[in-house]
Amino acid sequence: MSIGSANETTADPVPMFHPHAPRPGDPVPHIPSMAHYRAMYEESVTKPDVFFGKLAQDLLSWHKPFNQVSHGNFHEGNISWFVDGQVNACYNCVDRHALVNPNKVAIIWEADEMDHHRSITYGEVLAEVSRLANVLLKYGVRRGHAVAIYMPMVPEAVYAMLACARIGAVHSVVFAGFSADALRDRMLDAKCRLLITADQGKRGGKTIQLKNIADEALAECPAVHTVIVFQRTNDKSVPFHPPRDIWWHEETSNQRPYCPCTPMNSEDPLFMLYTSGSTGKPKGVLHTTAGYLLGATATTKYIFDLHEGDVHACMADVGWITGHSYIVYGPLSNGATTVVFESIPTYPNAGRYWDLVDKHKVTSFYTAPTAIRALRRLGDDFVKPYDLSSLRILGSVGEPINPDAWMWYHAIVGRSRCAIVDTYWQTETGSIIITPLPGCTPTKPGSATLPFFGVDVAVLDPQTGEELKGNGVTGVLAVRNSFPSIARTIYDNHARYMDTYLLPYKGFYFSGDGVSRDEDGYYWVRGRVDGTFHSLFESTQDYIVRLLTSRSAPLDVINVAGHRLSTAEIESALIKHPACAEAAVVGVPDDLTGQAIVCFCTLKSSDLDNKTLSAALTAQVRAHIGPFATPKRIIITPDLPKTRSGKIMRRILRKVAGREVVQEDLQDDAILKIKLGDLSTLADPAVVALLINSVADRL
Ligand code: WT7
């Protein structure tokens, strides 16, 4: 395969699914035809200021109107939108709906326990968010201060985010599956002074010791002077240390249920959210108020085609960007009803999602391919008993969805009458950037189809940076012009922002993903330019020279069950173990999770047997990052493949770990060479056999 030519995908005949006409009683889609899409898209990229100026006036309520729509560019890294306007995200998500429609349901909370759910109105959300905002003010939080949120999936997690937004504090939500070390690092980096957490969390029948973990993290975060503790389980054994620790319920009951919104400048930070990059150190992606909110609001409206009375259920966690944009800001800014789901898709059984859809009459449902694949394996009988007729839109996000899983979602869950929206985006883009629009875009299983308004996608030759024009091309995915919800910086490290996103290809935002544009102009996102896609390029060139020479390109980012992880971060966790000398981590293809983590470790002398050591090293990764980063396999090996200059040749590790080369291949140097590529730079060629044998050894 050569870059810039049609690939296997474009050559395959792919079925197109054309949108159905709405059922009687269903709303007419906001974007009713491809002609509408094309006209709007054209305006959005040729006259972005006109398009987004109008959209921002239509969709958001401003404290002070803006005169200037956009400013800055990707060359200089100085993006700003609506810069002289003032707006408050909490006002847009809560007050403007509560004031006219206080009894409308804002949040449906579906607890971990099957029979436990609760509806909360916009009026109630306004009161609860205000009370908490007053508590934050009482404890000294002011505009621009960073507040950490480490919460289970309860409505109070949403109140915490909105209370920050209300007074201009910058929230930094840390997913409740992260370990104490990870929470500590994030609180220190963001210079948080206050933490909002809970006594415990519940997930799939298990209890998560949030306060215990938080205490461990806080031991090394002296700047955090106040910890607000929400009682989720009311377990009396949970440690509580006054005066630092204060109870959510006691403090909020003393506050009045109204707190004025602080008018924020458009470019004031709204939140930061840490995500993995190529180095071990996570980066605090920073989003600003107006642009982010407009992106979340517009994409939710058009991609989930929200209409009055709709119930939107996004199954992500608020600890990830998907939860920020499609549980909290997008649905609430639109005045819709959003579902906060505390449990997991398989608890108490694999019918949990569909029970939720049936019970709450969900109209749009959003989950990840990894969940779809897992449920598909467990069988259709878990789906069949439920009435899913309320559904109109089924969304997928987090990684490429394989056509089989797409078809199952479409036929079994969607009963062949729902729109499937495979939505591509990233923490950094803030909102969806490539996606079908329901009732409008013909879909192809496995393709995220076409760009959203304002997103001028370019496919670049990874080596030369030249734009690959026309259809039937493969390269790296980049975006030409800024759009409102793109991240503005990495907190306290603008140089890293420039290095990672804007300098690799001058004038473009570089996504870190590989992509093909097929003969119809449809996009097929291949995943991070590291693992799978990287090896795709290896047939024509040894590596992506440009990426390797750029200072901090995302070379080693992998996607496990929709979670973005950095191999360097896992490696640094492993080498903290006293027995581990060196570690190299790679992603291998996995049927369920997309990619899985395989760790190669060399040892210092150790008395322990390999089985005990693997268990200890696995525990080490879980403790340093969190259980979602659990390695699939730890391979203890006498040596790692290195170049003469000492660089680990991950290409070899990936192929060995993925069993693309096996013991039999060792018999034939020619086959090895075909499978592993040029091995002449390898310092010690004998290492290949060692590795293959280590992988073959069952523990
Ligand atoms: C990476 C972003 C914001 C989404 C949740 C994950 C991959 C995401 C798709 C999709 C193919 C996808 C990309 C991207 N990705 N959605 N529909 N098709 N790949 O957010 O942790 O910032 O990860 O997820 O590789 O770069 P994230």
Side-chain angles (χ1 to χ4, degrees):
M1 199 212 81
S2 70
I3 297 163
S5 69
N7 64 14
E8 314 84 34
T9 312
T10 52
D12 275 352
V14 187
M16 273 258 203
F17 287 79
H18 290 274
H20 299 283
R23 288 174 299 184
D26 276 356
V28 175
H30 289 301
I31 313 292
S33 74
M34 283 303 280
H36 285 82
Y37 163 75
R38 290 219 173 81
M40 286 174 75
Y41 180 76
E42 179 67 19
E43 184 185 48
S44 75
V45 290
T46 54
K47 296 182 211 135
D49 283 12
V50 174
F51 182 86
F52 284 113
K54 267 191 303 202
L55 202 65
Q57 272 162 11
D58 286 355
L59 298 185
L60 301 183
S61 303
W62 294 83
H63 272 80
K64 178 175 161 251
F66 53 88
N67 291 308
Q68 173 133 12
V69 177
S70 70
H71 173 77
N73 56 56
F74 283 155
H75 278 280
E76 290 167 86
N78 58 345
I79 307 300
S80 62
W81 284 84
F82 317 111
V83 70
D84 55 348
Q86 287 190 329
V87 65
N88 181 288
C90 184
Y91 181 88
N92 277 272
C93 290
V94 184
D95 301 51
R96 62 171 172 163
H97 314 300
L99 296 176
V100 292
N101 215 348
N103 296 324
K104 171 152 189 190
V105 174
I107 296 173
I108 296 174
W109 181 53
E110 171 81 13
D112 194 46
E113 301 86 7
M114 192 55 182
D115 46 6
H116 189 154
H117 54 89
R118 183 152 65 90
S119 294
I120 303 144
T121 65
Y122 273 97
E124 289 167 327
V125 173
L126 175 58
E128 293 307 318
V129 168
S130 288
R131 286 183 202 276
L132 184 66
N134 285 324
V135 176
L136 295 177
L137 289 170
K138 173 178 165 189
Y139 285 90
V141 178
R142 296 290 177 268
R143 175 184 186 146
H145 291 185
V147 171
I149 299 177
Y150 186 62
M151 286 284 276
M153 284 294 290
V154 290
E156 286 74 12
V158 180
Y159 305 163
M161 294 163 73
L162 294 171
C164 290
R166 195 164 187 88
I167 61 168
V170 183
H171 59 71
S172 169
V173 184
V174 179
F175 171 55
F178 272 115
S179 67
D181 288 2
L183 174 61
R184 175 202 58 206
D185 292 349
R186 286 157 176 74
M187 287 197 291
L188 288 175
D189 187 75
K191 301 174 193 73
C192 293
R193 301 160 205 229
L194 185 141
L195 167 69
I196 305 176
T197 187
D199 51 359
Q200 297 177 318
K202 298 290 279 177
R203 212 161 164 262
K206 294 196 188 124
T207 302
I208 305 160
Q209 300 296 344
L210 290 178
K211 181 58 167 52
N212 274 311
I213 301 171
D215 277 353
E216 205 185 316
L218 287 162
E220 292 171 71
C221 299
V224 178
H225 53 69
T226 306
V227 180
I228 303 179
V229 188
F230 172 70
Q231 276 184 339
R232 165 63 180 91
T233 60
N234 206 1
D235 183 302
K236 298 296 175 223
S237 70
V238 169
F240 189 76
H241 309 287
R244 185 198 67 187
D245 296 354
I246 56 177
W247 289 115
W248 175 302
H249 60 283
E250 286 179 2
E251 291 289 335
T252 51
S253 67
N254 283 326
Q255 297 299 325
R256 76 161 169 146
Y258 184 75
C259 169
C261 290
T262 304
M264 301 303 290
N265 291 332
S266 293
E267 284 296 328
D268 277 330
L270 177 60
F271 65 85
M272 54 187 124
L273 187 60
Y274 284 81
T275 188
S276 295
S278 55
T279 72
K281 195 172 154 10
K283 41 194 183 190
V285 171
L286 189 128
H287 283 287
T288 56
T289 308
Y292 169 80
L293 188 66
L294 181 64
T297 309
T299 50
T300 311
K301 173 175 174 174
Y302 293 120
I303 300 165
F304 297 105
D305 196 38
L306 284 185
H307 293 267
E308 189 44 49
D310 279 355
V311 178
H312 178 67
C314 166
M315 297 293 99
D317 191 285
V318 290
W320 307 114
I321 191 71
T322 310
H324 281 59
S325 302
Y326 299 108
I327 296 175
V328 184
Y329 289 106
L332 295 178
S333 173
N334 278 289
T337 299
T338 189
V339 173
V340 172
F341 179 55
E342 193 182 30
S343 197
I344 56 170
T346 48
Y347 180 76
N349 62 52
R352 185 65 192 266
Y353 274 175
W354 323 125
D355 176 78
L356 177 150
V357 168
D358 187 344
K359 194 158 57 191
H360 303 301
K361 300 294 162 233
V362 169
T363 46
S364 49
F365 181 83
Y366 196 27
T367 192
T370 187
I372 300 168
R373 288 194 294 266
L375 294 173
R376 172 173 181 243
R377 269 192 196 182
L378 294 167
D380 302 357
D381 289 349
F382 286 106
V383 196
K384 285 191 177 137
Y386 296 101
D387 174 5
L388 304 182
S389 60
S390 57
L391 283 173
R392 301 198 315 269
I393 292 136
L394 294 171
S396 168
V397 62
E399 54 176 313
I401 178 165
N402 43 313
D404 290 350
W406 194 105
M407 287 305 300
W408 184 82
Y409 204 27
H410 172 73
I412 305 300
V413 180
R415 316 236 152 121
S416 302
R417 50 156 200 82
C418 291
I420 307 285
V421 289
D422 172 3
T423 63
Y424 167 80
W425 60 299
Q426 311 176 295
T427 304
E428 293 84 347
T429 64
S431 58
I432 296 165
I433 62 167
I434 303 182
T435 179
L437 296 176
C440 168
T441 315
T443 46
K444 298 183 192 184
S447 166
T449 74
L450 300 170
F452 188 72
F453 304 131
V455 181
D456 196 350
V457 176
V459 181
L460 307 181
D461 180 314
Q463 199 165 10
T464 63
E466 230 170 82
E467 188 177 354
L468 302 172
K469 298 222 165 102
N471 291 338
V473 292
T474 291
V476 295
L477 200 167
V479 181
R480 195 187 326 272
N481 292 315
S482 103
F483 50 94
S485 71
I486 188 81
R488 301 297 192 260
T489 194
I490 303 283
Y491 176 69
D492 212 14
N493 200 346
H494 196 66
R496 192 168 173 198
Y497 173 83
M498 295 301 292
D499 282 352
T500 311
Y501 308 114
L502 305 187
L503 293 182
Y505 301 101
K506 249 337 219 167
F508 291 93
Y509 164 79
F510 171 52
S511 68
D513 283 307
V515 71
S516 304
R517 181 167 54 220
D518 75 11
E519 296 300 342
D520 298 318
Y522 276 39
Y523 291 94
W524 299 76
V525 178
R526 306 300 191 186
R528 310 295 307 188
V529 197
D530 168 57
T532 343
F533 193 69
H534 187 220
S535 50
L536 205 114
F537 280 112
E538 279 173 345
S539 52
T540 50
Q541 55 193 102
D542 242 344
Y543 44 70
I544 306 173
V545 180
R546 197 177 176 99
L547 294 184
L548 285 177
T549 49
S550 126
R551 265 179 294 161
S552 61
L555 272 175
D556 290 296
V557 177
I558 57 176
N559 186 329
V560 180
H563 297 148
R564 197 205 297 191
L565 289 160
S566 127
T567 54
E569 206 178 346
I570 303 168
E571 286 162 7
S572 60
L574 289 164
I575 55 175
K576 286 205 173 101
H577 191 280
C580 181
E582 283 181 301
V585 173
V586 295
V588 295
D590 183 276
D591 285 351
L592 207 55
T593 56
Q595 282 182 300
I597 300 165
V598 174
C599 312
F600 290 87
C601 298
T602 62
L603 300 181
K604 298 178 187 160
S605 64
S606 165
D607 303 335
L608 301 174
D609 62 278
N610 280 3
K611 195 168 170 194
T612 314
L613 266 173
S614 306
L617 290 168
T618 301
Q620 176 80 18
V621 175
R622 291 170 60 98
H624 189 72
I625 303 173
F628 61 93
T630 304
K632 182 178 185 182
R633 205 171 156 199
I634 306 260
I635 296 162
I636 311 259
T637 169
D639 208 354
L640 292 171
K642 291 189 189 149
T643 60
R644 282 183 205 93
S645 59
K647 230 173 161 316
I648 295 174
M649 294 175 75
R650 287 160 195 288
R651 160 169 68 91
I652 297 179
L653 293 176
R654 263 194 298 271
K655 293 193 173 163
V656 173
R659 293 177 195 275
E660 288 176 47
V661 276
V662 292
Q663 279 173 316
E664 286 157 29
D665 300 330
L666 289 169
Q667 314 299 327
D668 190 336
D669 280 353
I671 293 207
L672 266 189
K673 192 160 185 237
I674 293 169
K675 290 199 172 177
L676 289 177
D678 181 18
L679 296 177
S680 61
T681 52
L682 198 57
D684 174 13
V687 77
V688 172
L690 289 178
L691 285 168
I692 294 178
N693 292 331
S694 305
V695 170
D697 273 352
R698 290 298 337 171
L699 293 171

